[in-house]
Amino acid sequence: MFHRIGRTVVRHPIWTIVAWLIAAVVIGITAPALPSNSNQSSFLPKSYESIQAADLQTKAFPQAFTPSADVLFQRADGGQLTAADKAEIATIAKQIEAKKIDQVQLVIPGPPSPDGKYGLALVQMNSATAGQPAQNDASKTLRTDVTQLVQGTDLTAKVGGSAPTALDQQNASSKGMALTGIGTVLVILISLLLIFRSPILALLPLISIFALVSTTADGLIADATKLFGLQANSSVSEILLVVLLGVGTDYFLFLMFRYRERLRAGEDAKTAMINAVSRVGEAIASAAGAVIIAFLALLLSSVGFLKQMGPALAIAVAVTLLAGLTLFPAICSLIPPRVLFWPSKKWQKEPEGAKFAAIGRTVQRRPALVAAVSGVLMIALALGTFGFKATFDMSAGAVPKTAESMIVQNEMAAAYSAGAAEPTEIMLNSTNGQPLNTSELATYAQKLQTAPGVASVAPAKVNQAGTTADFSVELKYAAASNQALSSISGIRDVAHANAPNGTVALVGGMTAIYTDFNAAINHDYRTVFPVAAILIMIILGLLLRSIVAPWYLMASVALGFGATLGATVLIFQNLQGQSGLMFMLPVIMYLFVVAIGTDYNILMIARLREEAREGRAPREAAAEALRHAGPTVAAAGFILAATFAMLTLGGNSFLAEMGFALSFGIFLAAFVMAMFFTPSLTALIGHAAWWPGHADRNGEHASTVVASNPANPGLRAVDEAEELDSTRQ
């Protein structure tokens, strides 16, 4: 199949490029616009109690006051608020409401802080557009108006709350995406220049990815997101950019290293490109297939953010795979090698490859020692996973601490009760449609007061029909803290057990949402992890025609995952003193490290099999595979690791953690697993690694024959190879 793909592309490069241009334009123009949603509750399914409580609250209290923004006032001199200051705050609240800002429905003064130094104005916005761009615009206007209104007074004001936090997240994402994009491009550009010494080869993948691959992938992702009703989130865009550039450059490197190798073997340009696609195509397709399958496993996730990210990244990798097999070969086949590799001339001569040859000889002589050392290193790092702790505040993780909303959040937590900013809401609902017995509500509130972690319980608010009561519960801890999350289980037990006859209690609010996020991610650990692992093993088994090899390949990748998580815990929790890592990081890290890290194992093991087919013994085949494939794995691994490291420029803790984890994981996959652990194990196991097949035996598949033909020697050679292959089959 890859013979035919290579031959078609090389014979018709112009038509291939034109087809890409047409597809990119049509898909880009027709793709729908996708507004980003930052409403965290929308990322959980309706089956979770916190979401059911939120829906009941909306239906029972459609006019209930739920602040979307908090305007925090304090004196410019930091002193206690005077009576005049408090009156000024009330006046400003009325002035804000009088401005009729779009989305703003009601503004009321809030209670002063216990120390008398802070005052509040609480702003309610349209709940139907929570997390949407319209509220971002409203938050921006609100901040501008508040700044103007406090001028000439003794007060200063800052605006926080859920809607302004979403605005700050959008701003941080835009800035982070720009920095990430610039950093990624520079890393790839400089790395390719150092590898090939050619400006054309350095620029070609970047131009192709930005001009055609990215446009096509973005359009298809938008179509899929709308078609299947998935949620869009701004963080996906930054990850998507890095995946397109990083994985696209990887596949470009796989192709160009093999193309250069065939040119050095004496083949003409067309034959060399066809044989490059033919020989490396299966490895690229298998590697991409593993990544795509792993990302699609996220469809089983309970978290909307992950469920949307999975198909998006799978589509991106699929488009990049198609580019690696068609677009890149088509463009390169139009450019003569002397121009493509200009001004370097090293492409014409096979280098000695002393470093990788030395690694190969070491693996050949002492495979057991190499396997033991690399394995012990990963096991030692993996021990750090036992110290893993999770944090659940996605907003704080995606917004810099210097952002205005984060400053307001921290100052409110210090000035007011820790749980005052985001109380837990307990909804008591009649199950038979009859009005609640109001005499039982006070007793029920007293029972709630005894629940662990509860600071206070406000008097119940009852809806007009009298069928639903809302108890606002203030916790002793900040909403996203581990103590608050731990208390939700006990609060739910008390709320459920003491609900009067004929009623049902639902516990909601942000802390309950975070708790349900935790339950959802634990569900994902039990489903996404094993499903992804099994599907990747099936792909490896089909590629290698072996039952044995996929097991130790996946074992090596699992060790790499554990080592990566352990190192991330060490850096961020132990050294930087963070309370924990973002709760969804292990799932994302698992999929990236396992799926993309498998690429390098696939490339190395495929080359090892190729060398074994030439009649070499297992240890000699491992040495030759390292000598030839080692430079490719090292170059691709370095570039992809450096590319993922650019996520640390995203400006928030979540992307910083993700950037380090993915970068370190790819580094381990390339420079420990694929370079040492996998080939040494394969050398030790020998022919048994390919059981029950004999994929390492000479002659199972015909090698590409290079024949001489005056008219078109390159294409003639491939035609003869395909005819020979089909005859044998």
Side-chain angles (χ1 to χ4, degrees):
M1 180 179 74
F2 296 104
H3 273 312
R4 287 190 289 272
I5 292 174
R7 182 178 60 182
T8 301
V9 169
V10 171
R11 279 178 169 173
H12 308 288
I14 298 295
W15 285 113
T16 302
I17 297 170
V18 169
W20 269 95
L21 285 168
I22 293 173
V25 171
V26 172
I27 293 172
I29 291 175
T30 58
L34 288 178
S36 177
N37 191 342
S38 58
N39 184 8
Q40 296 181 31
S41 64
S42 66
F43 293 126
L44 282 174
K46 302 294 185 184
S47 57
Y48 285 92
E49 183 175 342
S50 59
I51 306 305
Q52 295 173 2
D55 290 343
L56 177 59
Q57 185 181 39
T58 301
K59 293 176 183 176
F61 303 94
Q63 305 300 322
F65 184 88
T66 304
S68 301
D70 306 314
V71 184
L72 184 65
F73 297 91
Q74 66 180 129
R75 286 184 58 84
D77 59 12
Q80 290 192 333
L81 298 174
T82 65
D85 294 331
K86 295 176 183 177
E88 189 69 46
I89 292 172
T91 300
I92 292 175
K94 293 179 181 178
Q95 291 173 331
I96 294 172
E97 187 173 1
K99 286 182 174 291
K100 302 296 182 184
I101 301 172
D102 181 47
Q103 302 299 314
V104 173
Q105 298 175 329
L106 185 61
V107 183
I108 63 172
S113 62
D115 62 7
K117 293 184 177 181
Y118 292 89
L120 279 174
L122 306 176
V123 182
Q124 178 177 275
M125 296 185 186
N126 184 2
S127 60
T129 58
Q132 298 299 322
Q135 290 205 2
N136 291 349
D137 295 338
S139 298
K140 189 183 301 183
T141 303
L142 179 61
R143 280 179 171 166
T144 301
D145 290 345
V146 166
T147 301
Q148 293 173 350
L149 290 171
V150 296
Q151 288 179 357
T153 71
D154 295 326
L155 301 171
T156 62
K158 293 182 286 288
V159 181
S162 59
T165 297
L167 171 64
D168 290 338
Q169 181 178 349
Q170 181 190 59
N171 293 337
S173 177
S174 299
K175 180 181 178 181
M177 188 171 181
L179 290 173
T180 300
I182 293 171
T184 300
V185 168
L186 287 176
V187 163
I188 293 174
L189 187 62
I190 294 171
S191 299
L192 291 178
L193 279 172
L194 292 174
I195 292 169
F196 293 113
R197 308 292 200 278
S198 166
I200 294 177
L201 284 176
L203 290 170
L204 193 151
L206 293 172
I207 294 172
S208 302
I209 291 170
F210 275 116
L212 297 176
V213 180
S214 178
T215 303
T216 305
D218 286 345
L220 291 175
I221 290 167
D223 288 330
T225 301
K226 185 174 182 179
L227 179 64
F228 296 105
L230 301 171
Q231 297 288 348
N233 186 272
S234 57
S235 296
V236 174
S237 300
E238 296 175 64
I239 301 170
L240 182 64
L241 174 66
V242 172
V243 168
L244 282 170
L245 289 171
V247 175
T249 303
D250 259 15
Y251 295 164
F252 180 77
L253 281 171
F254 292 175
L255 177 71
M256 294 311 299
F257 268 86
R258 185 53 70 99
Y259 176 52
R260 187 175 64 179
E261 182 181 327
R262 301 316 305 164
L263 288 173
R264 287 168 173 169
E267 296 177 358
D268 66 89
K270 289 187 179 295
T271 303
M273 183 55 73
I274 294 171
N275 286 343
V277 175
S278 172
R279 294 197 175 199
V280 84
E282 185 180 22
I284 292 177
S286 299
V291 178
I292 291 168
I293 288 295
F295 286 154
L296 287 179
L298 283 176
L299 286 170
L300 301 174
S301 173
S302 300
V303 181
F305 169 76
L306 296 175
K307 187 174 289 188
Q308 190 272 339
M309 186 175 71
L313 295 178
I315 290 170
V317 173
V319 174
T320 306
L321 166 64
L322 188 60
L325 296 178
T326 60
L327 180 62
F328 295 157
I331 295 174
C332 292
S333 67
L334 287 174
I335 307 173
R338 66 179 183 278
V339 177
L340 186 65
F341 290 95
W342 180 88
S344 174
K345 295 183 179 180
K346 291 185 177 181
W347 64 273
Q348 297 173 334
K349 183 181 179 181
E350 179 74 27
E352 294 182 4
K355 293 180 181 179
F356 294 99
I359 293 173
R361 288 193 297 270
T362 301
V363 170
Q364 181 179 1
R365 290 195 302 265
R366 299 179 177 177
L369 178 63
V370 172
V373 171
S374 53
V376 168
L377 172 64
M378 290 189 287
I379 291 172
L381 287 173
L383 294 176
T385 59
F386 293 106
F388 171 75
K389 295 179 182 178
T391 60
F392 300 88
D393 191 348
M394 294 177 63
S395 296
V399 181
K401 294 180 180 178
T402 55
E404 186 173 341
S405 59
M406 291 297 100
I407 295 173
V408 170
Q409 177 177 300
N410 293 332
E411 290 185 354
M412 286 187 64
Y416 292 81
S417 170
E422 293 176 311
T424 295
E425 304 291 342
I426 299 179
M427 310 301 297
L428 190 66
N429 189 48
S430 171
T431 56
N432 53 22
Q434 298 298 315
L436 298 172
N437 185 345
T438 55
S439 63
E440 295 178 327
L441 299 183
T443 302
Y444 185 68
Q446 291 175 356
K447 294 289 186 181
L448 295 177
Q449 184 71 57
T450 65
V454 172
S456 64
V457 180
K461 295 183 293 184
V462 182
N463 67 338
Q464 290 184 350
T467 56
T468 305
D470 180 1
F471 296 86
S472 186
V473 177
E474 188 176 308
L475 302 182
K476 298 176 182 177
Y477 319 107
S481 66
N482 289 329
Q483 299 99 318
L485 269 67
S486 299
S487 66
I488 287 295
S489 176
I491 292 172
R492 281 179 168 163
D493 289 342
V494 172
H496 297 162
N498 291 281
N501 293 333
T503 67
V504 62
L506 298 172
V507 179
M510 287 310 304
T511 304
I513 289 174
Y514 294 144
T515 303
D516 289 342
F517 265 131
N518 189 23
I521 212 71
N522 286 334
H523 164 269
D524 291 351
Y525 290 152
R526 296 189 298 269
T527 54
V528 176
F529 278 28
V531 168
I534 291 170
L535 293 176
I536 291 174
M537 285 185 66
I538 291 173
I539 289 177
L540 289 172
L542 293 174
L543 168 67
L544 303 174
R545 284 85 168 171
S546 166
I547 294 176
V548 176
W551 284 97
Y552 69 82
L553 289 177
M554 285 304 299
S556 71
V557 173
L559 273 179
F561 165 76
T564 303
L565 182 57
T568 307
V569 169
L570 176 66
I571 295 296
F572 288 91
Q573 289 185 201
N574 297 346
L575 295 183
Q576 291 192 6
Q578 293 188 10
S579 59
L581 304 177
M582 187 57 63
F583 71 97
M584 67 176 67
L585 181 65
V587 172
I588 297 173
M589 192 182 72
Y590 174 83
L591 292 168
F592 275 92
V593 173
V594 169
I596 297 180
T598 303
D599 284 10
Y600 305 120
N601 268 341
I602 287 175
L603 188 68
M604 185 61 72
I605 203 76
R607 185 60 188 246
L608 196 153
R609 180 187 62 183
E610 186 177 325
E611 296 297 334
R613 285 175 175 175
E614 297 294 328
R616 295 183 174 87
R619 295 192 180 192
E620 184 186 2
E624 284 299 306
L626 278 164
R627 177 172 175 264
H628 291 290
T632 309
V633 170
F638 171 78
I639 291 178
L640 190 59
T643 298
F644 277 127
M646 292 303 104
L647 284 172
T648 59
L649 302 176
N652 63 69
S653 60
F654 180 36
L655 288 178
E657 293 168 5
M658 187 187 300
F660 171 82
L662 299 186
S663 177
F664 188 81
I666 294 301
F667 180 86
L668 278 180
F671 292 95
V672 178
M673 287 187 287
M675 204 75 71
F676 294 100
F677 195 67
T678 297
S680 60
L681 278 180
T682 306
L684 278 173
I685 297 171
H687 293 296
W690 311 99
W691 185 86
H694 303 285
D696 63 329
R697 300 300 170 87
N698 188 27
E700 181 179 342
H701 293 286
S703 299
T704 303
V705 180
V706 180
S708 176
N709 183 285
N712 198 332
L715 299 180
R716 177 64 180 163
V718 176
D719 289 343
E720 290 178 358
E722 289 186 344
E723 290 173 7
L724 178 61
D725 193 45
S726 61
T727 300
R728 289 184 176 182
Q729 291 176 355

